[in-house]
Amino acid sequence: MKTDLQLKHDVEAELEWEPAVTASNIGVEVKDGIVTLSGHPASLGEKIAAGQAAQRVGGVRALVVELDVHLPGEDLRTDEDIAHIARSVLRWTAGLSEDAVQVQVEHGHVGLRGAVDYAWQAQTAVRAIAQLRGHSPRRCASLA
């Protein structure tokens, strides 16, 4: 079994190896095999990639993600901009009709609601929105 120090080094190495993560933005703490990531990634995609990288490391018993996304100034968007972009992404990426999914944006938080024919469509829609730059990482999705 790895010590907490070994596990910390392994997670840090995995973060360094992951091209979607700027490892200097992410702090790693380990106690009793529980890894805590903290810091300020520049996008939701980077936050997700950091969590996935940490979970790939053998010996991680649990993961706590305390990452607060700080968007660069050029990536900030108005709620209206985000809503238009989200609608376009859903049409182009998930192939969903105009009426299938409703997008709600409030203070940079994107919510999806609606009904789709297949589970893969809901998963694709959520993944597509999660990758958008310029919105806050919190989003809700209620797609059936």
Side-chain angles (χ1 to χ4, degrees), residues 3-60:
T3 67
D4 285 347
L5 185 59
Q6 289 170 320
L7 192 54
K8 178 179 169 89
H9 289 304
D10 289 351
V11 170
E12 289 171 339
E14 190 69 18
L15 291 172
E16 286 286 343
W17 182 82
E18 173 56 56
V21 174
T22 303
S24 61
N25 292 342
I26 312 295
V28 178
E29 294 297 325
V30 181
K31 182 170 170 82
D32 298 327
I34 299 172
V35 174
T36 300
L37 301 180
S38 60
H40 304 286
S43 70
L44 177 59
E46 184 176 356
K47 177 180 179 177
I48 292 168
Q52 290 172 338
Q55 289 176 327
R56 285 194 298 262
V57 175
V60 173

Side-chain angles (χ1 to χ4, degrees), residues 30-124:
V30 181
K31 182 170 170 82
D32 298 327
I34 299 172
V35 174
T36 300
L37 301 180
S38 60
H40 304 286
S43 70
L44 177 59
E46 184 176 356
K47 177 180 179 177
I48 292 168
Q52 290 172 338
Q55 289 176 327
R56 285 194 298 262
V57 175
V60 173
R61 296 176 60 190
L63 179 64
V64 177
V65 180
E66 295 178 347
L67 298 172
D68 184 27
V69 176
H70 283 194
L71 297 172
E74 67 271 8
D75 285 337
L76 294 177
R77 305 281 185 263
T78 66
D79 286 352
E80 185 176 349
D81 291 339
I82 295 168
H84 285 296
I85 293 166
R87 295 286 333 148
S88 293
V89 165
L90 289 173
R91 249 189 332 271
W92 285 93
T93 305
L96 298 171
S97 71
E98 271 302 309
D99 300 329
V101 177
Q102 294 77 45
V103 175
Q104 179 179 342
V105 183
E106 185 175 345
H107 304 295
H109 305 296
V110 179
L112 303 176
R113 298 210 189 310
V116 294
D117 295 327
Y118 304 100
W120 68 264
Q121 290 173 310
Q123 294 164 353
T124 301

